[in-house]
Amino acid sequence: MSTLSETLILVVEDEPDLRAGLKHNLELEGYKVETAADGTEGLRRVRDSRPALILLDLMLPGMPGTEVLRHLRDTGSETPVIIVSARGQDGDKVQGLELGADDYVTKPFGLSELTARIRAVLRRTQAGAKAGAGDKTALGGVMQFADLTIDWRRFTVARDGQEHQLSRYEAEILRMLVEHRGEVVSRQDLLRKVWGYVHLPTTRTVDNHIARLRKKVERDVENPVHVVTVHGLGYRFETESTEGT
Ligand code: CA
């Protein structure tokens, strides 16, 4: 268990006063803080310093915050991200959540609100990692469903001799579907259990992660046989492939 003094937060913010202010105040709260003035520097610092959490401004010179986030998630980084957006950027905020941000704050925000959200996200992501360790054992290590092999110890899926690494969210979605295999799991249930918040304006976040998960578990993403859509209700994990019948 890491102590607070080891918890590194990366602040990606182009406004010098806000950047310096956040660094100063978060350090007073006991965090280690690194800063970046733009997205390119931010991505470099994520790679080099491996922060526990990223505060990501959306309006950045050059690469916008949403692109930084997309790059992070596309390259397999699951570092928790809190988006910092200005009023009137609701569309970007929603896009950010769909791209895999963990929470957001809207400028101007108070320090107590920000630190509460940081603590909540860290608690959730660390608890998620711990719960994952417990559930992996419950699900028995390696499971085989028709052409699909799931290794819960390594968070990998294998199909047709090809192995894929699952992201944290993909693994948690898959685990919930497999635990309830044969039953419908609603998008709201997935949002609540996997993300832990219910105030999302849309459930497209779930659909986007399901789409990414399908690329790994399905032979044909257009005709899924494992992670099946139940229209109007949610998703269902099928244990037996009906392919070719
Ligand atoms: Ca900015």
Side-chain angles (χ1 to χ4, degrees), residues 36-233:
D38 60 53
T40 310
E41 191 191 350
L43 287 173
R44 193 168 58 236
R45 285 195 179 271
V46 172
R47 205 175 50 235
D48 294 348
S49 306
R50 306 202 158 270
L53 184 142
I54 305 164
L55 271 188
L56 180 63
D57 185 28
L58 283 185
M59 294 272 271
L60 292 166
M63 189 190 297
T66 47
E67 280 309 305
V68 175
L69 181 57
R70 191 195 307 273
H71 188 84
L72 280 173
R73 295 303 183 238
D74 282 354
T75 53
S77 167
E78 293 295 317
T79 309
V81 170
I82 297 179
I83 283 175
V84 179
S85 69
R87 286 197 195 289
Q89 279 183 273
D90 288 347
D92 289 345
K93 194 166 71 188
V94 171
Q95 193 196 356
L97 290 169
E98 283 165 3
L99 287 170
D102 295 83
D103 206 347
Y104 60 87
V105 289
T106 305
K107 289 178 185 174
F109 50 82
L111 186 65
S112 58
E113 183 197 352
L114 179 66
T115 54
R117 282 171 186 268
I118 289 173
R119 278 196 303 272
V121 167
L122 287 174
R123 200 164 48 229
R124 200 161 67 216
T125 50
Q126 284 159 4
K130 259 182 262 155
D135 287 354
K136 274 180 301 192
T137 330
L139 281 176
V142 177
M143 291 174 111
Q144 181 82 43
F145 298 105
D147 61 332
L148 182 69
T149 307
I150 309 172
D151 187 339
W152 299 107
R153 292 163 306 191
R154 295 164 54 234
F155 284 154
T156 57
V157 292
R159 179 183 45 71
D160 299 334
Q162 270 200 313
E163 190 175 80
H164 300 275
Q165 184 68 50
L166 297 173
S167 74
R168 179 164 55 85
Y169 285 127
E170 288 160 0
E172 287 182 23
I173 290 170
L174 185 59
R175 175 168 42 240
M176 192 162 165
L177 291 173
V178 169
E179 278 173 349
H180 297 272
R181 48 192 177 275
E183 302 166 17
V184 179
V185 179
S186 74
R187 290 176 176 81
Q188 288 299 337
D189 282 342
L190 285 167
L191 272 181
R192 258 197 304 276
K193 298 271 173 54
V194 174
W195 278 267
Y197 51 84
V198 292
H199 57 270
L200 262 192
T202 77
T203 48
R204 260 170 45 209
T205 301
V206 177
D207 299 349
N208 288 348
H209 280 82
I210 290 279
R212 270 184 253 172
L213 179 60
R214 278 183 175 147
K215 281 186 194 159
K216 299 178 182 175
V217 305
E218 301 290 353
R219 187 170 290 151
D220 177 5
V221 292
E222 298 300 323
N223 298 291
V225 297
H226 292 297
V227 179
V228 177
T229 302
V230 183
H231 287 289
L233 293 173

